[in-house]
Amino acid sequence: MSTINDSTNPVTIDLCQLVYISRITSTGLSSPSTLNDISETAVERNQIDNVTGILCYGNGYFLQCVEGSEQALTNLKNRLLVDDRHKELKILDFSEITERRFASWSLRSITLERWMTKEPELKKLMPFKPYEWDSNEWQKFLDVLQGYYEEQTRTGNVDTPPVKYSTLGVTLSKVVGQHQAFFLIQTILGLMIVATLLWLLL
């Protein structure tokens, strides 16, 4: 923690950043409202604790960056450790910062959305598997998300309600990517046709 000394009113700076990754559990996948529940609860709590940040979900993985006081983030980390909707939580960073990246978002929840697959810097990090990234690639990922945040702020999308996501729907249509989802659907249809033919023959 650092201080800015003023002869009459010393000010203590207590602003930290917590970045972590984790994997969704079967418990998390079993509820279609998991992402919505996380977002709605977090937004309310974060507004009280003056915590801001962004949560990204894709391919069965979470990556979250949150900003706030050291105590607020420590309390949040402790809650995350006992949340059975995710597992294998790995902290990438917990350090002091001078300013917030996502100051107007109590928590924006996003998935691997279409614009992300077209972003040149993000293409290098796809498919989204943060456990396999090099040590500094999470920082590149956050830099792109910060640019997205700044663009959203310019257009007035400040602290908007969480987008409604279905975990299963996200997993099929956004997480695995459009081309993979297409092949997955084609495979399922092919298996159904084969099963129907076998049933008719027997």
Side-chain angles (χ1 to χ4, degrees), residues 116-135:
M116 300 174 75
T117 62
K118 297 178 180 178
E119 175 65 40
E121 288 302 312
L122 288 186
K123 277 187 176 180
K124 303 172 187 176
L125 302 176
M126 299 298 168
F128 184 63
K129 295 182 178 180
Y131 282 86
E132 299 178 10
W133 289 352
D134 292 337
S135 58

Side-chain angles (χ1 to χ4, degrees), residues 155-189:
T155 58
N157 293 320
V158 176
D159 217 7
T160 54
V163 177
K164 297 297 181 183
Y165 292 120
S166 162
T167 306
L168 180 59
V170 167
T171 302
L172 290 178
S173 65
K174 292 186 178 180
V175 173
V176 298
Q178 290 180 326
H179 62 291
Q180 291 172 311
F182 173 78
F183 287 121
L184 177 61
I185 292 169
Q186 293 302 310
T187 301
I188 292 171
L189 289 174

Side-chain angles (χ1 to χ4, degrees), residues 124-162:
K124 303 172 187 176
L125 302 176
M126 299 298 168
F128 184 63
K129 295 182 178 180
Y131 282 86
E132 299 178 10
W133 289 352
D134 292 337
S135 58
N136 67 332
E137 287 186 319
W138 64 268
Q139 294 171 314
K140 296 177 183 178
F141 186 79
L142 282 181
D143 287 342
V144 175
L145 293 187
Q146 184 176 359
Y148 169 72
Y149 160 77
E150 290 169 353
E151 177 60 29
Q152 293 290 295
T153 302
R154 278 194 293 271
T155 58
N157 293 320
V158 176
D159 217 7
T160 54

Side-chain angles (χ1 to χ4, degrees), residues 22-38:
S22 62
R23 303 174 192 267
I24 196 166
T25 61
S26 56
T27 300
L29 281 172
S30 65
S31 171
S33 63
T34 292
L35 300 182
N36 304 318
D37 294 342
I38 291 173

